[in-house]
């Protein structure tokens, strides 16, 4: 005869493993922007004495009454005024000593923002756009988090049209190649790049030309309407669309 399983209450489980229930959760947002042919990220001055003088990513502890995936949207809204942006969960970081205050496990998200058309409401901690190539050291393990999100972005840009979140609605192929080179950190062959992009069938030729440029004007394009609508959704919106 099988032995009956003895059940314990949640209260007993917590009392006998109290140290496991004293771990904080946080989120960190890697918010990429593109400006002056440079890939940039939003950073702020760390307000911890242990990291005085260093920048950190935008993040916060997850509140006791808050779902994990709600927290990065709150951080973006509170720190920058941005509310409805592309946001993707990337990785969870849980090294023992990553936070000087105690055990904090953080989940990283990244976002892509058109700098020119998203006015940021910044009021504290010297929040600003910073070229990623100039960031050699960050507070906590935020350099690792930044590098991990950048690698995810680099893996996705040639397979999904997410990169267009960084551009204005109309753009030339020259501008698009400049953006890809800033993200990938390499020079791309012009002919091969244009051939590869054309095969993706992502673009619509607007039959318009650039104006007031210091070089030979190029044709202007935009992302196909359905793709622009889909890839400007937040993850929450996409999930809701899939469910319904």
């Amino acid at each position: 005869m099988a032995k009956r399983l003895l059940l314990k209450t949640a209260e007993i489980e917590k009392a006998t493993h109290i140290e496991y229930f004293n771990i904080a959760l946080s989120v960190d947002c890697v918010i990429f922007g593109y400006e002056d042919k440079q890939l940039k990220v939003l950073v702020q001055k760390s307000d911890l004495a242990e990291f005085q003088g260093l920048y950190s990513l935008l993040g916060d502890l997850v509140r006791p009454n808050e779902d994990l995936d709600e927290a990065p949207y709150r951080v973006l809204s509170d720190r920058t005024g941005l509310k409805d942006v592309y946001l993707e969960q990337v990785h969870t970081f849980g090294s023992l000593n990553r936070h000087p205050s105690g055990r904090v496990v953080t989940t990283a998200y990244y976002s892509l923002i058109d700098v020119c058309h998203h006015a940021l409401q910044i009021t504290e901690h010297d929040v600003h756009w910073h070229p990623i190539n100039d960031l050699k050291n960050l507070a906590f393990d935020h350099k690792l988090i930044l590098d991990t999100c950048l690698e995810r972005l680099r893996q996705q840009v040639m397979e999904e049209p997410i990169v267009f979140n960084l551009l204005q609605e109309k753009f030339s192929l020259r501008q698009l190649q400049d953006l890809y080179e800033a993200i990938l950190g390499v020079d791309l062959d012009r002919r091969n790049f244009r051939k590869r992009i054309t095969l993706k069938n992502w673009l619509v030729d607007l039959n318009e030309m650039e104006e007031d440029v210091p070089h030979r004007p190029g044709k202007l394009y935009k992302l196909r309407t359905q793709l622009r609508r889909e890839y400007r959704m937040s993850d929450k919106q996409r999930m809701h669309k899939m469910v319904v």
Side-chain angles (χ1 to χ4, degrees), residues 78-122:
D78 290 350
R79 306 288 175 84
T80 68
L82 297 170
K83 298 183 183 298
D84 217 7
V85 298
Y86 175 90
L87 194 62
E88 180 174 322
Q89 187 180 122
V90 177
H91 191 73
T92 296
F93 298 82
S95 297
L96 286 173
N97 299 314
R98 60 171 306 277
H99 199 297
S101 299
R103 186 75 195 276
V104 179
V105 176
T106 195
T107 298
Y109 296 76
Y110 87 80
S111 179
L112 304 174
I113 292 176
D114 176 3
V115 174
C116 296
H117 285 77
H118 285 85
L120 304 180
Q121 300 171 16
I122 297 171

Side-chain angles (χ1 to χ4, degrees), residues 30 32 90 108-110 145-153:
V30 179
F32 290 115
V90 177
Y109 296 76
Y110 87 80
I145 294 175
L146 171 59
D147 290 345
T148 301
C149 289
L150 178 58
E151 183 58 31
R152 170 68 66 86
L153 175 60

Side-chain angles (χ1 to χ4, degrees), residues 47-64:
D47 59 355
L48 286 183
E50 289 83 353
F51 299 118
Q52 184 176 2
L54 291 179
Y55 291 115
S56 70
L57 300 170
L58 276 61
D60 198 6
L61 295 175
V62 179
R63 293 172 177 173

Side-chain angles (χ1 to χ4, degrees), residues 23-27 59-75 77-79 124:
I23 299 175
L25 297 176
S26 70
V27 294
D60 198 6
L61 295 175
V62 179
R63 293 172 177 173
N65 61 344
E66 184 176 47
D67 287 340
L68 176 65
D69 284 337
E70 295 293 329
Y73 292 96
R74 171 178 56 81
V75 169
S77 178
D78 290 350
R79 306 288 175 84
E124 59 180 11

Side-chain angles (χ1 to χ4, degrees), residues 17 35-36 44 76 91 103 108 120 150 174 193 195:
H17 296 83
E35 188 178 37
D36 301 326
Q44 64 183 22
L76 283 181
H91 191 73
R103 186 75 195 276
L120 304 180
L150 178 58
R174 181 196 301 269
F193 173 79
K195 180 179 179 180

Side-chain angles (χ1 to χ4, degrees), residues 20-239:
Y20 292 90
F21 290 89
N22 287 329
I23 299 175
L25 297 176
S26 70
V27 294
D28 285 298
C29 298
V30 179
I31 308 172
F32 290 115
Y34 178 68
E35 188 178 37
D36 301 326
K37 296 186 179 182
Q38 292 182 305
L39 186 65
K40 299 183 178 182
V41 64
L42 275 180
V43 294
Q44 64 183 22
K45 277 285 181 65
S46 175
D47 59 355
L48 286 183
E50 289 83 353
F51 299 118
Q52 184 176 2
L54 291 179
Y55 291 115
S56 70
L57 300 170
L58 276 61
D60 198 6
L61 295 175
V62 179
R63 293 172 177 173
N65 61 344
E66 184 176 47
D67 287 340
L68 176 65
D69 284 337
E70 295 293 329
Y73 292 96
R74 171 178 56 81
V75 169
L76 283 181
S77 178
D78 290 350
R79 306 288 175 84
T80 68
L82 297 170
K83 298 183 183 298
D84 217 7
V85 298
Y86 175 90
L87 194 62
E88 180 174 322
Q89 187 180 122
V90 177
H91 191 73
T92 296
F93 298 82
S95 297
L96 286 173
N97 299 314
R98 60 171 306 277
H99 199 297
S101 299
R103 186 75 195 276
V104 179
V105 176
T106 195
T107 298
Y109 296 76
Y110 87 80
S111 179
L112 304 174
I113 292 176
D114 176 3
V115 174
C116 296
H117 285 77
H118 285 85
L120 304 180
Q121 300 171 16
I122 297 171
T123 58
E124 59 180 11
H125 300 309
D126 188 27
V127 177
H128 68 281
W129 291 106
H130 205 100
I132 61 169
N133 291 334
D134 294 343
L135 291 171
K136 307 303 181 184
N137 192 22
L138 292 169
F140 307 98
D141 55 354
H142 286 187
K143 184 61 166 64
L144 172 62
I145 294 175
L146 171 59
D147 290 345
T148 301
C149 289
L150 178 58
E151 183 58 31
R152 170 68 66 86
L153 175 60
R154 286 172 171 170
Q155 291 171 358
Q156 289 183 303
V157 292
M158 293 307 293
E159 304 303 325
E160 300 178 54
I162 59 172
V163 69
F164 296 92
N165 286 288
L166 297 170
L167 284 174
Q168 299 182 35
E169 183 177 2
K170 298 179 181 182
F171 51 85
S172 68
L173 292 181
R174 181 196 301 269
Q175 291 171 324
L176 184 60
Q177 182 170 338
D178 286 342
L179 172 56
Y180 270 90
E181 289 179 342
I183 292 173
L184 298 174
V186 296
D187 293 331
L188 299 172
D189 179 78
R190 177 177 176 272
R191 181 176 297 178
N192 288 340
F193 173 79
R194 295 189 175 203
K195 180 179 179 180
R196 189 167 182 179
I197 288 296
T198 300
L199 290 174
K200 295 291 184 183
N201 198 30
W202 289 343
L203 306 183
V204 175
D205 186 341
L206 296 175
N207 293 316
E208 299 177 28
M209 302 294 290
E210 291 180 294
E211 297 180 355
D212 301 321
V213 291
H215 50 74
R216 181 180 177 182
K219 280 188 171 185
L220 291 175
Y221 298 81
K222 71 175 182 178
L223 183 65
R224 292 189 179 278
T225 301
Q226 180 57 37
L227 292 175
R228 176 170 289 271
R229 185 181 301 119
E230 178 180 352
Y231 282 89
R232 292 251 167 143
M233 290 180 180
S234 66
D235 280 352
K236 291 191 300 182
Q237 291 172 311
R238 289 196 214 175
M239 185 61 70

